[in-house]
């Protein structure tokens, strides 16, 4: 049976499982996948690489049209380039992570990246039969007409434990420091004026604290399958 393209928005604070869940759901259902956090990280990487003071919102706004940010939407091999350079590794570093909330709070940055997100979502959804888009403001602002909206949460302790488990060597930080860093970024992302991190009124909230990743994936797959409509 043919079905219409399905648009899935997955939002939530840092470390709640958005990326892991979104990639797995998209792969399982044969949909495209877009990591919008990677786009803000790529913009931040470019600002740092080009000597723009990320604390100077006017300087960030003046420069933000310059980089060409391209996201690949295959959930099995997502990619991100800036001006043709693969930045998938560097955008996960500490320097970018510390600066990304400031850059993503600048309205001109959000306007530019939101436009990219909307056009990529509609192109990919048409080509792949749908897309899972994850971020902070997808259900509220980027794709308010999404067919399925999920807001993932988890306790700060669970999120810090998950993050600490994946860091090693020089990046390893104590659990308490990781927890503080997560909460600081959440506060900045929720407190900004332009399109803050927020749950859409019509989103389904899933608290993942006590759930395995597989249980979260199953829950989201079930919600997406229920929302898919046959073509008339
Ligand atoms: N339900 C879960 N149970 C245990 N571990 C999980 C669960 N969900 C995700 N994880 C693990 O937690 C870590 C963070 O997950 P992920 O990167 O998907 O979160 P995120 O919400 O996308 O974070 P960020 O917004 O910071 O990018 C990963 O190592 C992932 O494997
Ligand atoms: N839709 C989005 C997605 C991300 N951001 C900002 C805020 C986050 O702290 C940062 C990095 O995201 P992550 O890779 O941790 O998911 O990007 C945003 O403002 N809006």
């Amino acid at each position: 049976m043919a079905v219409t393209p399905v648009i899935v928005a997955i939002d939530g604070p840092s470390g709640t499982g958005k990326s892991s869940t979104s990639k797995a759901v998209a792969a399982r259902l044969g949909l495209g996948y877009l990591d919008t956090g990677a786009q803000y990280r790529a913009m931040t990487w470019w600002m740092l690489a080009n000597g723009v003071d990320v604390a100077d919102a006017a300087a960030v706004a003046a420069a933000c049209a310059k980089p060409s940010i391209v996201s690949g939407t295959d959930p099995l091999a997502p990619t991100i380039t800036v001006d043709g350079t693969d930045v998938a590794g560097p955008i996960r570093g500490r320097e970018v992570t510390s600066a990304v909330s400031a850059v993503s709070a600048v309205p001109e940055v959000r306007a530019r990246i939101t436009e990219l997100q909307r056009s990529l979502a509609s192109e990919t959804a048409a080509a792949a039969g749908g897309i899972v888009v994850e971020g902070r403001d997808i259900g509220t602002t980027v794709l308010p007409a999404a067919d399925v909206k999920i807001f993932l949460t988890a306790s700060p302790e669970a999120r810090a434990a998950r993050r600490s488990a994946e860091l090693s060597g020089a990046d390893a930080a104590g659990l308490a420091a990781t927890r503080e860093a997560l909460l600081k970024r959440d506060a900045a992302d929720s407190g900004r004026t332009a399109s803050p991190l927020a749950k859409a009124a019509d989103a389904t909230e899933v608290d993942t604290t006590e759930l395995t990743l597989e249980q979260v994936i199953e829950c989201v797959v079930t919600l997406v399958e229920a929302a898919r409509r046959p073509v008339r």
Side-chain angles (χ1 to χ4, degrees):
M1 181 178 60
V3 289
T4 54
V6 65
I7 307 278
V8 182
I10 301 193
D11 291 301
S14 187
T16 50
K18 299 181 300 297
S19 300
S20 324
T21 304
S22 301
K23 271 187 274 192
V25 168
R28 208 168 285 185
L29 297 175
L31 308 178
Y33 161 70
L34 178 60
D35 175 356
T36 64
Q39 296 174 308
Y40 286 102
R41 287 173 179 272
M43 177 67 83
T44 304
W45 176 87
W46 185 91
M47 295 288 167
L48 294 169
N50 286 276
V52 178
D53 176 2
V54 296
D56 180 347
V60 169
C64 72
K66 294 181 183 167
S68 165
I69 297 171
V70 178
S71 304
T73 55
D74 177 351
L76 300 175
T79 56
I80 180 107
T81 63
V82 178
D83 299 332
T85 299
D86 176 1
V87 295
I91 63 169
R92 303 291 161 192
R94 202 176 294 171
E95 209 189 350
V96 169
T97 301
S98 307
V100 66
S101 290
V103 171
S104 59
V106 175
E108 290 81 356
V109 168
R110 300 206 72 80
R112 167 132 201 264
I113 290 187
T114 297
E115 194 182 315
L116 278 179
Q117 291 162 353
R118 287 182 178 146
S119 59
L120 195 52
S122 69
E123 279 164 27
T124 308
I131 186 165
V132 183
V133 184
E134 56 126 329
R136 302 291 192 290
D137 63 338
I138 310 305
T140 53
T141 305
V142 179
L143 301 167
D147 302 286
V148 181
K149 296 184 188 179
I150 313 278
F151 194 79
L152 297 183
T153 62
S155 71
E157 291 68 28
R159 295 191 283 136
R162 292 172 188 174
R163 271 282 171 253
S164 291
E166 70 185 11
L167 299 176
S168 63
D171 273 339
L175 207 56
T178 303
R179 182 180 179 279
E180 290 322 301
L182 282 175
L183 292 177
K184 189 175 167 205
R185 191 143 64 92
D186 288 352
D189 295 341
S190 308
R192 65 176 177 237
T193 309
S195 194
L197 159 66
K199 175 180 175 291
D202 53 350
T204 301
E205 183 166 331
V206 179
D207 183 345
T208 71
T209 307
E210 303 292 338
L211 301 179
T212 64
L213 177 56
E214 186 51 38
Q215 287 173 320
V216 181
I217 294 164
E218 271 299 321
C219 168
V220 176
V221 164
T222 304
L223 290 168
V224 176
E225 282 179 335
R228 289 186 109 172
R229 285 166 288 128
V231 176
R232 293 194 182 279

